[in-house]
Amino acid sequence: MLKMFHLIMLMILMQGSLNATLVKGNVVLCFQTRGQRASQVAVETVKKARGVGVIFAQFLTKDIASAFDIPLIQVDYQVGTAILAYTTSTRNPMVQFGSAKTILGELIGPEVAYFSSRGPSSLTPSILKPDITAPGVNILASWSPSVALSSAMGSVNFKIDSGTSMSCPHISGVAALLKSMHPNWSPAAVKSAMVTTANVRDEYGFEMVSEAAPYKQANPFDYGGGHVDPNRAAHPGLVYDMRPSDYVRFLCSMGYNNSAIASMVQQHTPCQHSPKSQLNLNVPSITIPELRGKLSVSRTVTNVGPVTSKYRARVEAPPGVNVTVNPSLLTFNSTVNRLTFKVAFQAKLKVQGRYTFGSLTWEDGTHTVRIPLVVRTMINRFYVNA
Ligand SMILES: *[C@@H]1O[C@H](CO)[C@@H](O)[C@H](O)[C@H]1NC(C)=O
Ligand SMILES: *[C@@H]1O[C@H](CO)[C@@H](O)[C@H](O)[C@H]1NC(C)=O
Ligand SMILES: *[C@@H]1O[C@H](CO)[C@@H](O)[C@H](O)[C@H]1NC(C)=O
């Protein structure tokens, strides 16, 4: 069943700014501008002017499914410009709508969606954020029937939705799976298992990309450790574990006073001040927001794989930085299951740098325990350029 409609092109699409006589019964081609980023606004405006559909040309090619009362097609600028050329080359430009089709084919590797929040963390720049990424675009999920999607669709039990609220259940589900397989693992161990086994490449070996304008190679500020891989997370080999006392040291470093911390942990825990307590927090990543000259940080790994194992360090140094790991060989046996190592960083560049990215991977021939390294070299105090 195909329907034909007239296509018109209108530049300005501020809310309520459409000429209703022009729009009524037509499909509107709309280009995303700085002031008007969301296709949703375009759809609402066209609908109010009694238009029948929207073609929305935008920076991002990703088609985020949305439920609207009138059809919305999202295209990139290249396709949008081709459609624009068509509207101006013919006296009577037409659009044809058909019913929806399901297209099955090759999977597209994970990409970081534009709306996914990005690092660094402004509150704690030496703790990498985000930690990890998980599926969160166009997820078929249950939905409360008491919340109508739109006036036309009424109440539904399922909906396709996108966002943190969609990727969070994936991560929670993987955490629950790991906890049921390893009941004695701490929350930090569960998190470490997911982060150190996450993928930074897709199944064809391509580096993950991040939606920008239009695309860039993704880095740990987009995906943290990478895209979660539940099968590998079940057998991480080593974990970066933490105890309650590690969290207390972190809270102290954040400037909470003794009484505030005591009220959180329900016992008297005086703070010990250490300038490196944030850098040395045993998270499965190392982030140095201000590297001047040399700096060394420490981490501790716990063996959760075969009791007797040997791991060798493999470093991919961030550009502009020398990285050495000591010791670079970790030997675990029945009496030694936790080992501490140091990672020394030295700036090679004598310039105020940008953030650069690398990785440290422990390998025993079976397990690959990878953490991101994030470094920004500095020579002077940080000045904001006006
Ligand atoms: C500790 O911090 C809390 C919350 O910020 C504040 O209300 C309290 O006065 C502080 N106590 C001391 C002893 O500084
Ligand atoms: C485990 O390794 C440590 C350090 O190398 C060594 O001192 C200890 O004897 C070893 N234990 C066993 C049971 O082999
Ligand atoms: C970096 O490491 C290389 C090789 O280990 C060494 O030759 C070089 O001097 C180091 N540079 C700095 C600035 O430490």
Side-chain angles (χ1 to χ4, degrees), residues 25-42:
N26 287 325
V27 172
V28 178
L29 170 65
C30 173
F31 279 72
Q32 182 184 46
T33 64
R34 266 184 199 285
Q36 195 285 100
R37 300 191 67 83
S39 53
Q40 188 171 352
V41 176

Side-chain angles (χ1 to χ4, degrees), residues 5-297:
F5 292 99
H6 286 278
L7 176 65
I8 58 171
M9 158 68 195
L10 290 168
M11 272 296 200
I12 305 146
L13 255 192
M14 304 307 283
Q15 200 111 31
S17 72
L18 282 185
N19 178 339
T21 330
L22 208 56
V23 171
K24 193 180 166 198
N26 287 325
V27 172
V28 178
L29 170 65
C30 173
F31 279 72
Q32 182 184 46
T33 64
R34 266 184 199 285
Q36 195 285 100
R37 300 191 67 83
S39 53
Q40 188 171 352
V41 176
V43 170
E44 281 161 9
T45 310
V46 170
K47 196 190 150 205
K48 213 180 275 173
R50 303 181 56 199
V52 295
V54 176
I55 298 174
F56 194 76
Q58 56 185 16
F59 264 138
L60 308 165
T61 52
K62 186 53 31 62
D63 190 2
I64 309 287
S66 349
F68 293 119
D69 291 341
I70 59 170
L72 162 72
I73 311 294
Q74 286 158 292
V75 296
D76 64 19
Y77 275 158
Q78 219 175 318
V79 172
T81 304
I83 298 172
L84 174 62
Y86 162 68
T87 64
T88 53
S89 70
T90 169
R91 274 177 61 90
N92 204 5
M94 298 295 283
V95 176
Q96 181 173 291
F97 286 130
S99 45
K101 272 189 214 144
T102 302
I103 297 172
L104 300 173
E106 302 275 297
L107 280 176
I108 303 166
E111 293 173 3
V112 183
Y114 72 92
F115 55 78
S116 188
S117 54
R118 305 298 208 270
S121 159
S122 55
L123 290 176
T124 53
S126 39
I127 309 290
L128 178 64
K129 289 289 159 187
D131 294 295
I132 197 161
T133 190
V137 173
N138 296 344
I139 305 297
L140 180 61
S142 56
W143 183 256
S144 167
S146 66
V147 183
L149 287 184
S150 70
S151 50
M153 295 175 74
S155 106
V156 292
N157 293 321
F158 294 93
K159 178 194 176 192
I160 288 177
D161 207 353
S162 301
T164 311
S165 53
M166 297 295 108
S167 57
C168 181
H170 283 91
I171 287 292
S172 309
V174 177
L177 173 76
L178 296 184
K179 188 69 182 170
S180 68
M181 293 177 76
H182 309 284
N184 60 345
W185 279 10
S186 70
V190 169
K191 169 180 159 178
S192 172
M194 286 195 268
V195 170
T196 61
T197 56
N199 296 312
V200 296
R201 289 172 185 276
D202 69 14
E203 60 185 306
Y204 308 107
F206 289 114
E207 301 238 18
M208 219 193 294
V209 294
S210 168
E211 282 186 335
Y215 278 101
K216 70 177 182 71
Q217 190 181 312
N219 65 46
F221 283 150
D222 300 302
Y223 54 55
H227 188 252
V228 67
D229 183 338
N231 290 335
R232 291 189 57 218
H235 307 285
L238 305 177
V239 291
Y240 292 75
D241 204 359
M242 284 205 276
R243 302 166 201 203
S245 58
D246 293 303
Y247 296 100
V248 170
R249 259 200 306 281
F250 173 72
L251 292 173
C252 290
S253 76
M254 289 288 286
Y256 291 99
N257 62 28
N258 288 353
S259 52
I261 290 170
S263 73
M264 278 187 257
V265 300
Q266 299 294 305
Q267 60 186 35
H268 179 63
T269 39
C271 277
Q272 290 151 356
H273 288 285
S274 155
K276 274 204 198 168
S277 47
Q278 285 199 8
L279 288 171
N280 285 342
L281 187 69
N282 207 39
V283 288
S285 57
I286 298 175
T287 305
I288 303 178
E290 296 185 13
L291 177 65
R292 293 185 173 80
K294 276 186 194 172
L295 184 73
S296 128
V297 302

